[in-house]
Amino acid sequence: MTKRVAILISGGGSNMMSLVEDMTGDHPARPVLVLSNSAEAAGLEKARARGIVTAVVDHRPFGSNRAAFEDALTTVLDQARPDIICLAGFMRVLTDRFVLRWQGKMLNIHPSLLPKYKGLHTHRRAIEAGDTEAGCSVHEVTAELDGGRVLGQARVAIQPGDTSEALADRVLPLEHQLYPMVLRRFAEGIRTRIDLP
């Protein structure tokens, strides 16, 4: 049976589009919803242009009440009945309660070689640490921030004189390659890790 995928975004949606463009033909999943916490997210229009249902749950009116924000997210998600939720640049930290509700069904792409550099400013931190390589990871989402099982990684060399912006520009195409590969395998029930050179 074809899996139903909801994709959560906050911005331009480039990773979302890489997932959507791969979910065709013999792919075991199809996108049923693109959901954002910002009505200004450019990815929403890209999704609409592809005929995908979109929704917005703006986090700002909820202030510090994360539980109420997540209840609103869950209401929208429940209507879409996703089998899989992909976080694709969704810039909100989710509470344990929300994660547990969808545990085993949620993936995230993170711009570091986990378990290194959880959280923000990953490329700058890799450069400042003197690392020779950086990259991205797709992992299952658990209650620990960026702490779930890694299902795929892609690596890129850090060049002398690299800036965080230059490094991010080289990592992004790897994200667009890796995330669809992991999602396809995840939708087929494959949880073994893959690594791109």
Side-chain angles (χ1 to χ4, degrees), residues 18-91:
S18 72
L19 296 175
V20 166
E21 288 168 357
D22 195 56
M23 281 188 272
T24 59
D26 65 351
H27 198 289
R30 290 292 184 270
V32 297
L33 175 68
V34 171
L35 173 58
S36 180
N37 63 306
S38 170
E40 291 80 44
L44 291 170
E45 191 52 47
K46 296 174 187 174
R48 290 186 199 110
R50 290 294 183 116
I52 303 167
V53 174
T54 63
V56 175
V57 178
D58 190 335
H59 65 277
R60 289 170 293 192
F62 296 95
S64 60
N65 191 341
R66 291 166 68 193
F69 168 64
E70 291 176 349
D71 286 345
L73 282 182
T74 295
T75 296
V76 176
L77 288 167
D78 281 342
Q79 292 169 353
R81 296 177 291 108
D83 300 298
I84 301 169
I85 296 173
C86 290
L87 305 180
F90 188 66
M91 301 305 290

Side-chain angles (χ1 to χ4, degrees), residues 15 17 51 70 74 92 138 145 157 159 161 168 170 189-190:
N15 269 306
M17 287 303 297
E70 291 176 349
T74 295
R92 307 301 299 170
V138 177
L145 178 66
Q159 308 288 352
R170 292 205 310 283
I190 300 170

Side-chain angles (χ1 to χ4, degrees), residues 166-179:
L167 185 55
D169 287 344
R170 292 205 310 283
V171 170
L172 190 59
L174 296 177
E175 295 181 28
H176 296 163
Q177 184 181 358
L178 180 67
Y179 208 173

Side-chain angles (χ1 to χ4, degrees), residues 85-170:
I85 296 173
C86 290
L87 305 180
F90 188 66
M91 301 305 290
R92 307 301 299 170
V93 175
L94 299 166
T95 66
D96 295 359
R97 186 177 69 124
F98 183 88
V99 170
L100 289 171
R101 165 74 173 77
W102 300 101
Q103 188 133 350
K105 298 182 175 183
M106 194 158 33
L107 297 175
N108 183 46
I109 180 102
H110 182 72
S112 81
L113 297 174
L114 292 172
K116 283 188 170 185
Y117 312 123
K118 299 175 182 181
L120 300 174
H121 311 300
T122 57
H123 301 306
R124 187 187 75 207
R125 289 157 67 195
I127 292 168
E128 289 175 351
D131 291 356
T132 58
E133 61 180 5
C136 56
S137 307
V138 177
H139 65 94
E140 294 191 59
V141 177
T142 63
E144 180 189 352
L145 178 66
D146 299 326
R149 177 168 49 162
V150 172
L151 299 179
Q153 282 190 337
R155 297 167 184 270
V156 64
I158 296 177
Q159 308 288 352
D162 249 342
T163 64
S164 56
E165 293 80 9
L167 185 55
D169 287 344
R170 292 205 310 283

